[in-house]
């Protein structure tokens, strides 16, 4: 589903094979777009996201039983993130959730939506819910930057309160997000009004920005992307989803035993780290490429981004046994470059692990 904004002035489409087909990659100056998102305000077309709708009286208790999140505690006008795991606790689906107007909305990666909807439909049984694909009805825009509040005031649009607040908005909703910056709001608008909303936002001062800018800010924020920073073996502890998408004070969902066991008595085998690449070579790795120490594979490359301040940065899943001080090589042979670990990206062995909290290391 191609966005009408691909024909907007200055819009550049992504190259063949890029993960964000169907929306603008940038608008002529991706680094300036990132700076606007960091210092003023920018708007990103993310209408390639899939949106599922789950109306029905049982929507929260039903989703609570299927996902890693404590959704029975989610009030009207609140949002969160949630995972669906397999029986071994490995991540199958990730969604950003909004509960508004008697409907739970889940937006997710477009290539995973059909599988997620099929699973939800299969699990309805006797519950009063009617999950459906609402992608043809709703589209996602993300507004990000420290001037978001001023922008919404200028447009006389209600701004959701708190880090995960949600407000109904003319056939859609606005959802406050804790990433990819300190000030970010997802606008989920009627798809037929996407171009109109874009014009309103840009006319009010938001700089048009593409998926390049959004991805760079996401990587800087250490936020994983399903299917890019995860593989078939990924468990939530490895990619910073404990807390944001996994509630540790709930049980009785598929994969919960692994989540609890690793949290209480174990350590995840890998951890997601931010890597800074040596910029002396005009090559960069690709998603799925190996991370190596002395020709030994110790991890995999996830997201690769060109950042306006940090240069080329990578999110990589790396074996826990690898010291953060170790010099790494990333990429296949013809695009292999040196990399170093950003020390600020190194998490505790397991966030909140009991014995580490007792030593003052938990967070």
């Amino acid at each position: 589903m191609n966005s009408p904004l691909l024909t907007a002035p200055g819009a550049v489409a992504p190259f063949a094979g890029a993960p964000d087909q169907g929306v603008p990659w940038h608008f002529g100056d991706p680094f300036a777009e990132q700076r606007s998102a960091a210092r003023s305000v920018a708007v990103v077309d993310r209408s390639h996201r899939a949106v599922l709708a789950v109306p029905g009286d049982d929507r929260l208790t039903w989703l609570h039983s299927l996902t890693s999140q404590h959704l029975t505690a989610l009030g009207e006008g609140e949002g969160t993130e949630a995972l669906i795991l397999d029986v071994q606790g490995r991540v199958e689906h990730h969604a950003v959730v909004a509960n508004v107007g008697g409907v739970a909305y889940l937006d997710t990666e477009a290539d995973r939506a059909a599988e997620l909807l099929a699973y939800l439909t299969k699990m309805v049984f006797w519950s009063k819910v009617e999950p459906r694909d609402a992608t043809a009805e709703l589209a996602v825009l993300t507004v990000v930057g420290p001037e978001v509040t001023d922008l919404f005031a200028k447009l006389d649009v209600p701004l959701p309160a708190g880090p995960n607040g949600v407000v109904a908005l003319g056939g859609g909703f606005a959802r406050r997000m804790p990433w990819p910056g300190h000030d970010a709001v997802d606008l989920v608008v009627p798809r037929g009004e996407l171009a109109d909303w874009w014009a309103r936002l840009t006319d009010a001062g938001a700089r048009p920005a593409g998926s390049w800018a959004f991805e760079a800010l996401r990587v800087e924020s250490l936020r994983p992307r399903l299917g890019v920073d995860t593989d078939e073996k990924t468990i939530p502890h490895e990619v910073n989803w404990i807390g944001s998408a996994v509630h540790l004070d709930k049980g009785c969902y598929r994969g919960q035993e692994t989540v609890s066991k690793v949290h209480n008595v174990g350590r995840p085998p890998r951890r997601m780290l931010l890597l800074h690449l040596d910029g002396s070579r005009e090559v960069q790795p690709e998603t799925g490429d190996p991370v190596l120490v002395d020709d030994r594979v110790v991890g995999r490359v996830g997201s690769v981004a060109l950042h306006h301040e940090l240069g080329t940065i990578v999110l990589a899943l790396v074996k826990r046994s690898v010291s953060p001080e170790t010099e790494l090589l990333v990429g296949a042979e013809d695009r292999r470059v040196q990399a170093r670990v950003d020390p600020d990206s190194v998490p505790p062995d397991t966030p909140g692990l009991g014995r580490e909290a007792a030593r003052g290391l938990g967070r």
Side-chain angles (χ1 to χ4, degrees), residues 275-330:
L275 307 183
H276 297 267
L277 301 195
D278 178 356
S280 61
R281 295 188 64 196
E282 294 184 359
V283 295
Q284 63 183 42
E286 298 178 359
T287 299
D289 277 355
V291 177
L292 302 107
V293 174
D294 298 328
D295 292 326
R296 176 172 56 93
V297 176
V298 295
R300 71 176 293 275
V301 170
S303 297
V304 181
L306 287 174
H307 191 275
H308 69 109
E309 291 181 335
L310 303 176
T312 304
I313 52 177
V314 165
L315 289 179
L317 277 174
V318 180
K319 289 182 178 180
R320 179 164 298 278
S321 58
V322 176
S323 169
E325 290 77 30
T326 303
E327 187 174 286
L328 304 173
L329 290 173
V330 297

Side-chain angles (χ1 to χ4, degrees), residues 52-348:
L52 306 183
V54 184
D57 293 343
D58 297 339
R59 65 191 182 282
L60 295 180
T61 54
W62 178 69
L63 287 169
H64 179 90
S65 69
L66 299 177
T67 73
S68 60
Q69 191 55 270
H70 200 308
L71 293 178
T72 56
L74 197 67
E76 170 68 21
E78 292 183 345
T80 188
E81 298 177 59
L83 306 175
I84 290 178
L85 311 177
D86 69 10
V87 293
Q88 281 81 37
R90 298 171 296 201
V91 178
E92 287 192 342
H93 298 286
H94 169 265
V96 185
V97 184
N99 180 42
V100 60
V103 180
Y105 294 95
L106 292 74
D107 62 273
T108 189
E109 299 289 342
D111 62 349
R112 301 296 185 97
E115 182 183 341
L116 174 57
L117 181 59
Y119 173 73
L120 294 176
T121 301
K122 181 178 69 174
M123 300 302 292
V124 169
F125 301 119
W126 56 84
S127 299
K128 296 178 181 178
V129 291
E130 298 178 357
R132 60 184 175 82
D133 189 344
T135 306
E137 306 163 31
L138 297 169
V140 181
L141 295 171
T142 295
V143 185
V144 58
E147 296 179 7
V148 161
T149 299
D150 293 340
L151 177 72
F152 274 58
K154 188 183 297 186
L155 293 171
D156 195 25
V157 173
L159 186 67
N164 291 292
V166 180
V167 294
L169 193 65
F173 57 90
R175 176 183 57 214
R176 201 74 180 254
M177 291 293 293
W179 58 276
H182 295 296
D183 300 277
V185 177
D186 286 342
L187 289 172
V188 182
V189 302
R191 187 166 289 274
E193 300 175 16
L194 177 65
D196 293 338
W197 271 99
W198 183 266
R200 289 180 64 191
L201 292 161
T202 54
D203 288 349
R207 180 167 189 151
S211 59
W212 179 335
F214 182 89
E215 287 296 282
L217 296 174
R218 177 185 63 80
V219 172
E220 180 189 16
S221 300
L222 301 176
R223 296 289 181 160
R225 182 172 181 179
L226 183 72
V228 179
D229 301 302
T230 66
D231 58 17
E232 70 282 354
K233 298 181 292 184
T234 302
I235 61 175
H237 312 70
E238 296 177 322
V239 290
N240 300 337
W241 268 331
I242 298 296
S244 61
V246 176
H247 197 293
L248 292 170
D249 293 331
K250 66 160 288 188
C252 300
Y253 62 93
R254 192 173 67 179
Q256 184 267 338
E257 183 177 352
T258 296
V259 170
S260 179
K261 183 176 180 180
V262 173
H263 173 67
N264 288 300
V265 300
R267 289 184 171 88
R270 301 175 295 178
R271 52 189 172 188
M272 186 178 71
L273 301 173
L274 180 67
L275 307 183
H276 297 267
L277 301 195
D278 178 356
S280 61
R281 295 188 64 196
E282 294 184 359
V283 295
Q284 63 183 42
E286 298 178 359
T287 299
D289 277 355
V291 177
L292 302 107
V293 174
D294 298 328
D295 292 326
R296 176 172 56 93
V297 176
V298 295
R300 71 176 293 275
V301 170
S303 297
V304 181
L306 287 174
H307 191 275
H308 69 109
E309 291 181 335
L310 303 176
T312 304
I313 52 177
V314 165
L315 289 179
L317 277 174
V318 180
K319 289 182 178 180
R320 179 164 298 278
S321 58
V322 176
S323 169
E325 290 77 30
T326 303
E327 187 174 286
L328 304 173
L329 290 173
V330 297
E333 289 186 5
D334 58 346
R335 51 179 181 269
R336 190 165 294 172
V337 294
Q338 291 183 318
R340 59 181 177 84
V341 175
D342 187 318
D344 292 335
S345 73
V346 181

